Amino acid sequence: MVNVGIAGASGYTGLELIRLLVKHPEVRVSALTSETYQGQRVADVFPALAGHIDLDFVRLDSSLTKDCDIVFLALPHTTAMNHVPGFLKDNCRVVDLSADFRLKSAEVFETWYSVAHSQQDILGQAVYGLPELHREQITAAKLVANPGCYPTGVILALAPLMTTDWVDLGSIVADCKSGVSGAGRKPALNTQFAECNEVVSAYGLGTHRHTPEIEQEISTLAGRELRVTFSPHLMPMTRGLLSTIYLNLVRDLTLDELDKYYREIYKNEPFVRILNPGVFANTHFVVHSNYCDIGLQIDARNRRIILTSAIDNLVKGAAGQAVQNMNLMLGIDETTGLDSPGIFP
Ligand SMILES: NC(=O)c1ccc[n+]([C@@H]2O[C@H](COP(=O)([O-])OP(=O)(O)OC[C@H]3O[C@@H](n4cnc5c(N)ncnc54)[C@H](OP(=O)(O)O)[C@@H]3O)[C@@H](O)[C@H]2O)c1
């Protein structure tokens, strides 16, 4: 059995990790941290976990490594990065769910996060943890930077087209909608019930921090610097993330050709499902699962491809993908602990 720890286990992604890992046959959950609930029984604070976990929350400090072979950091960005060197020094592998190690360039990080990266010497060790793109590197990694939720949905939808000459790669627009759990459990005005119920609102237009992450990965695939217009929206739902992505066609393309191509690219991917032509991605069909559903359409009148993708922001967009990465790092079947359908209704 491999001993795993979760730093930030009282947050939404931390709790999702607990839910997945207590049912995982190859690991033992051995340490859970929370500054707020330290010293309290996990199952007393979160009764949904009663009967499944027999631990107290502990403070996050370096002693975590004595109990763990691998640690998930489900911490706010810029907090996570300061803990990574200590874990790596003690031979503890790390899957960081924050944004701290996702961007390869410290300058780009500083531009978008308005703070200097404090661990520039280990930035180069981090592997971007999107298994569909970087499976081999993840398998050998000591430090995996788990992707953001929006980038996961957008990059998986776009990736196959980045190596074709079918579209104008300067024309990418990603219009995305997320459930409120995407903002985490910490209290904030915009996630209070009266502020986010019965309302759809755009935020972060042209400035959202997931933009450089999407651009980094699609640029690498395309072999040249690409930009996207990324427009996130907050939806009055708890979980789920839908992306609708537009690209201008530069040649005639049928839906049948597009469908065949996507199916070929993703034929061996356990967690990417290409929807039948005419079916569009829907968060109802992926929530509580590790699937990313991708729907395809050709808008022939306007010579555009319209892609849709749906994920659960807390599963394929965070904890599920983190477990998928852990499985790869440990050399166990990638789908272990994750192979279940979404919950609908
Ligand atoms: N929510 C999503 O859908 C999603 C998706 C992808 C990635 N992420 C990323 O995953 C990370 C966690 O997100 P989340 O949504 O789970 O956030 P969250 O619900 O706010 O949870 C944050 C956790 O970090 C702990 N924490 C906060 N400040 C800390 C500090 N200074 N030292 C130690 N622990 C501290 C909190 O614990 P206590 O308050 O109990 O101490 C809590 O357990 C973030 O970086 C986020 O950007 C989130």
Side-chain angles (χ1 to χ4, degrees):
M1 281 286 197
V2 176
N3 291 314
V4 303
I6 304 169
S10 64
Y12 285 157
T13 61
L15 288 167
E16 193 69 22
L17 278 164
I18 300 176
R19 189 181 71 82
L20 292 168
L21 292 170
V22 292
K23 290 286 165 211
H24 194 294
E26 310 266 348
V27 306
R28 179 190 302 116
V29 178
S30 20
L32 299 172
T33 85
S34 162
E35 309 311 288
T36 306
Y37 303 111
Q38 57 180 292
Q40 298 186 48
R41 300 298 288 165
V42 173
D44 290 347
V45 180
F46 296 107
L49 294 168
H52 293 277
I53 192 98
D54 186 23
L55 287 174
D56 291 352
F57 280 117
V58 294
R59 275 193 59 223
L60 171 56
D61 64 27
S62 54
S63 66
L64 206 59
T65 53
K66 77 176 174 3
D67 297 318
C68 305
D69 306 302
I70 185 162
V71 170
F72 295 92
L73 302 183
L75 301 169
H77 62 82
T78 71
T79 301
M81 65 169 85
N82 297 320
H83 295 281
V84 171
F87 289 128
L88 294 181
K89 188 168 69 59
D90 287 344
N91 278 327
C92 187
R93 279 173 276 187
V94 176
V95 179
D96 178 19
L97 280 78
S98 86
D100 287 355
F101 292 91
R102 294 180 197 154
L103 297 172
K104 302 205 177 308
S105 155
E107 291 77 48
V108 176
F109 181 89
E110 188 167 343
T111 302
W112 288 83
Y113 288 85
S114 309
V115 57
H117 202 290
S118 68
Q119 308 300 332
Q120 297 187 24
D121 46 333
I122 52 170
L123 201 49
Q125 286 182 41
V127 175
Y128 189 75
L130 195 59
E132 292 77 6
L133 298 190
H134 303 297
R135 184 167 282 114
E136 218 173 290
Q137 298 96 302
I138 294 165
T139 305
K142 300 272 180 270
L143 169 60
V144 165
N146 214 58
C149 46
Y150 286 119
T152 296
V154 173
I155 297 166
L156 287 176
L158 281 174
L161 291 174
M162 296 302 99
T163 48
T164 70
D165 55 4
W166 301 349
V167 287
D168 170 5
L169 292 178
S171 71
I172 303 169
V173 177
D175 178 292
C176 303
K177 286 118 192 147
S178 172
V180 181
S181 64
R185 190 163 186 254
K186 63 186 177 313
L189 183 62
N190 68 329
T191 54
Q192 286 188 28
F193 185 78
E195 305 279 335
C196 64
N197 181 47
E198 300 288 352
V199 60
V200 178
S201 54
Y203 66 102
L205 297 184
T207 61
H208 194 284
R209 286 164 168 169
H210 285 172
T211 310
E213 201 180 317
I214 297 168
E215 290 176 349
Q216 169 182 286
E217 293 302 305
I218 62 170
S219 298
T220 305
L221 287 169
R224 66 186 170 94
E225 199 85 356
L226 296 179
R227 296 269 168 92
V228 297
T229 297
F230 166 53
S231 302
H233 298 77
L234 192 63
M235 300 298 287
M237 59 190 194
T238 302
R239 284 172 184 251
L241 195 163
L242 183 78
S243 303
T244 308
I245 307 167
Y246 306 87
L247 306 97
N248 292 344
L249 277 164
V250 295
R251 54 154 272 198
D252 291 335
L253 188 74
T254 66
L255 183 53
D256 192 44
E257 278 177 277
L258 188 65
D259 178 68
K260 278 204 181 74
Y261 177 64
Y262 266 71
R263 281 180 200 282
E264 180 58 26
I265 296 277
Y266 282 127
K267 68 178 180 212
N268 295 321
E269 289 303 338
F271 295 115
V272 179
R273 301 188 295 201
I274 305 305
L275 300 169
N276 288 336
V279 181
F280 307 124
N282 183 328
T283 58
H284 257 162
F285 304 133
V286 294
V287 285
H288 297 282
S289 83
N290 198 48
Y291 288 108
C292 174
D293 281 359
I294 298 177
L296 309 167
Q297 181 59 301
I298 303 282
D299 174 5
R301 246 171 20 95
N302 295 307
R303 275 173 74 86
R304 269 190 204 110
I305 291 180
I306 306 176
L307 305 168
T308 53
S309 80
I311 58 169
D312 183 325
N313 55 294
L314 293 178
V315 189
K316 184 61 174 166
Q321 183 138 267
V323 171
Q324 193 178 348
N325 283 318
M326 177 201 75
N327 288 341
L328 288 166
M329 292 163 90
L330 298 177
I332 55 188
D333 185 279
E334 189 173 337
T335 62
T336 309
L338 295 170
D339 194 11
S340 52
I343 299 176
F344 170 75

